[in-house]
Amino acid sequence: MTVQQRGAAVIKARKLSSAMSAAKAICDHVRDIWFGTPEGEFVSMGVISDGNSYGVPDDLLYSFPVVIKNKTWKFVEGLPINDFSREKMDLTAKELTEEKESAFEFLSSA
């Protein structure tokens, strides 16, 4: 719930738009891609699923733990997932799959 309401929380706390938060996330991503992740650390990044990581369907743009070196990302495998997280991850994958299907339907009818 906290993650879902983060934009509203930023607006409430700062009395300003959460756009700066999005801009900061973009800058962090560019930094990580350009310079890589520090040794022993990983970041969460939206990448295309290969269908083999964390039970996420193939070809779905999803946020995964990754390490980045030489401007190339690689999945971090084997992180523990508790039941609560698994439920939320599956729900997110379902919603993203439905959105993807809706987008393709819209494109094919245009």
Side-chain angles (χ1 to χ4, degrees):
M1 185 60 85
T2 301
V3 172
Q4 292 173 327
Q5 300 298 321
R6 66 189 177 279
V10 170
I11 292 169
K12 184 177 179 183
R14 296 185 63 225
K15 308 291 188 260
L16 297 168
S17 166
S18 60
M20 186 57 83
S21 178
K24 170 86 167 80
I26 292 167
C27 290
D28 289 349
H29 266 43
V30 170
R31 179 204 60 224
D32 292 335
I33 291 168
W34 190 256
F35 295 108
T37 50
E39 189 66 34
E41 294 184 24
F42 60 87
V43 295
S44 181
M45 189 171 284
V47 298
I48 301 293
S49 174
D50 63 1
N52 297 315
S53 296
Y54 298 98
V56 176
D58 191 29
D59 286 335
L60 192 64
L61 184 59
Y62 196 93
S63 184
F64 288 99
V66 299
V67 292
I68 305 167
K69 187 173 182 178
N70 298 323
K71 300 178 182 64
T72 302
W73 60 267
K74 181 178 170 185
F75 291 111
V76 174
E77 298 292 352
L79 295 177
I81 301 171
N82 63 26
D83 291 340
F84 175 81
S85 296
R86 176 81 270 156
E87 180 182 338
K88 296 302 180 185
M89 290 171 67
D90 291 345
L91 180 61
T92 298
K94 181 179 182 288
E95 291 173 354
L96 290 170
T97 299
E98 290 168 357
E99 289 176 10
K100 178 182 170 183
E101 290 168 356
S102 293
F104 282 128
E105 286 174 20
F106 176 78
L107 291 173
S108 66
S109 68

